[in-house]
C-alpha cells in the first residue's frame, strides 16, 4: 500500500534516483527506502526544457514494480500537460510541473489533475519569482522550490532561494507542502527547514555515499524532527 506523504508528519526526505546506479535501479531503490527515505523523487528530463535527458514512462513503470512507495515525479519537460496521463499510467502518485513552461499555471494544474493525478505540484526555478506560483495555489498540493538550476544532480545549493521559499510557505495552507530540491545535504538542510521546507529531495548526498542509511540519518539529524 502506498503511504500518502501528506498524511505523515514533516520533515520528510525523498531520495532522488537521478544519482542511483541505473544498472541496478531496483535494489538501489529498496536500499534507500529501507535506509530511511520516506518516498521517491523521479526526475524526468526531456533535453529541451533542461539540457539533460533522464528517463520516462518505461523506467517509471519498472520503478513502480520495485516499490509501493509514493512516487513524486518532477517533470523537467516543456509540455507537462501532454505527458501527464502517461506518467499516471506508468504509476506516479504526484506530478510537479514547472511554472516557466505553461501559459496558465492554474489551468495546467487542473488539467494534470484531470489526467488522473492524485497530487499535483508546481515548481519554480531559482530565477523565477514567488509570484509565479501564486495563481496556482488553490489548485496544487505542493510547491517545489529549485535550489539549483535544474538538469543535473550534484550541484551546489543556492542559498538565495531561501527567502522565496519562506515567502511561498507563508501562503500555503496547512494541508499543502513545500519541497526543496537541489544541493540539499547535511550542511544545507537546516537552512531549508528554517525557511519552511517540509520535503527534502536528495540525490547525491545519499546515493554518492557508501552508507546511504547513515547519510540519510545525518540529514534527518539536522532537521530536528
Ligand atoms: C535537478 C533535479 C534534482 C536532483 C538533485 O535537476 O531536479 O532532483 O536530482 O540532486 P542533488 O541532491 O545531488 O542536488
Ligand atoms: Zn528534482
Amino acid at each position: 500500500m502506498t503511504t500518502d506523504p501528506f498524511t505523515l508528519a514533516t520533515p520528510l526526505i525523498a531520495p532522488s534516483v537521478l544519482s542511483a546506479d541505473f544498472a541496478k535501479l531496483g535494489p538501489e531503490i529498496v536500499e534507500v527506502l529501507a535506509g530511511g527515505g520516506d518516498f521517491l523523487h523521479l526526475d524526468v528530463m526531456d533535453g529541451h526544457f533542461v539540457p539533460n535527458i533522464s528517463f520516462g514512462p518505461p523506467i517509471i513503470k519498472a520503478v513502480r514494480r520495485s516499490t509501493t512507495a509514493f512516487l513524486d515525479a518532477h517533470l523537467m519537460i516543456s509540455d507537462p500537460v501532454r505527458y501527464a496521463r502517461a506518467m499516471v499510467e506508468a504509476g506516479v502518485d504526484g506530478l510537479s510541473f514547472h511554472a516557466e513552461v505553461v501559459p496558465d499555471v492554474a489551468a495546467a494544474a487542473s488539467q494534470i489533475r484531470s489526467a488522473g493525478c492524485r497530487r499535483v505540484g508546481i515548481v519554480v526555478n531559482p530565477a523565477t519569482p514567488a509570484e509565479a506560483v501564486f495563481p496556482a495555489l488553490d489548485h496544487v498540493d505542493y510547491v517545489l522550490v529549485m535550489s539549483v538550476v535544474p538538469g543535473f544532480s550534484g550541484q551546489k545549493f543556492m542559498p538565495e532561494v531561501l527567502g522565496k521559499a519562506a515567502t511561498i510557505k507563508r501562503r500555503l495552507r496547512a494541508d499543502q507542502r513545500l519541497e526543496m530540491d537541489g544541493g540539499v545535504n547535511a550542511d544545507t538542510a537546516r537552512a531549508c527547514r528554517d525557511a519552511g521546507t517540509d520535503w527534502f529531495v536528495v540525490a547525491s548526498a545519499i546515493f554518492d555515499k557508501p552508507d546511504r542509511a547513515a547519510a540519510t540519518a545525518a540529514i534527518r539529524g539536522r532537521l530536528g524532527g
Side-chain angles (χ1 to χ4, degrees):
M1 257 292 287
T2 300
T3 301
D4 183 353
F6 288 86
T7 65
L8 300 174
T10 65
L12 298 177
I13 296 175
S16 159
V17 302
L18 194 59
S19 285
D21 180 346
F22 286 102
K24 45 178 181 170
L25 189 53
E28 293 274 272
I29 287 168
V30 170
E31 182 185 336
V32 296
L33 292 170
D38 295 300
F39 61 91
L40 275 186
H41 183 83
L42 303 176
D43 289 304
V44 177
M45 303 180 182
D46 65 356
H48 185 253
F49 174 62
V50 290
N52 196 7
I53 300 175
S54 58
F55 52 79
I59 300 290
I60 293 174
K61 274 186 198 148
V63 170
R64 181 74 289 168
R65 287 195 297 272
S66 307
T67 180
T68 58
F70 184 92
L71 301 181
D72 164 34
H74 171 194
L75 298 185
M76 285 162 276
I77 66 177
S78 295
D79 196 347
V81 173
R82 177 178 173 193
Y83 289 98
R85 190 173 294 279
M87 297 292 163
V88 170
E89 285 171 1
V92 306
D93 301 292
L95 265 187
S96 61
F97 67 95
H98 271 261
E100 297 84 7
V101 298
V102 295
D104 180 334
V105 290
S110 300
Q111 287 165 330
I112 290 172
R113 205 179 293 281
S114 300
C117 190
R118 276 200 302 135
R119 299 294 192 178
V120 180
I122 184 168
V123 194
V124 276
N125 276 341
T128 303
E131 290 71 20
V133 307
F134 291 170
L137 288 184
D138 285 342
H139 306 274
V140 297
D141 302 294
Y142 59 111
V143 178
L144 170 50
V145 172
M146 289 307 302
S147 38
V148 297
V149 175
F152 301 91
S153 57
Q155 301 185 77
K156 194 172 174 300
F157 182 76
M158 298 171 69
E160 56 268 38
V161 307
L162 291 169
K164 175 172 69 182
T167 298
I168 291 170
K169 177 67 173 182
R170 279 194 291 275
R171 298 228 174 190
L172 297 185
R173 304 187 307 263
D175 63 339
Q176 294 173 311
R177 297 291 181 268
L178 180 70
E179 187 175 36
M180 189 83 76
D181 183 5
V184 176
N185 57 38
D187 295 327
T188 58
R190 183 70 234 175
C192 301
R193 183 63 173 161
D194 291 343
T197 299
D198 300 300
W199 295 350
F200 297 76
V201 176
V202 186
S204 53
I206 290 177
F207 278 101
D208 290 359
K209 297 286 164 63
D211 185 339
R212 277 87 176 256
T216 307
I219 296 167
R220 202 180 294 280
R222 301 292 176 90
L223 299 177

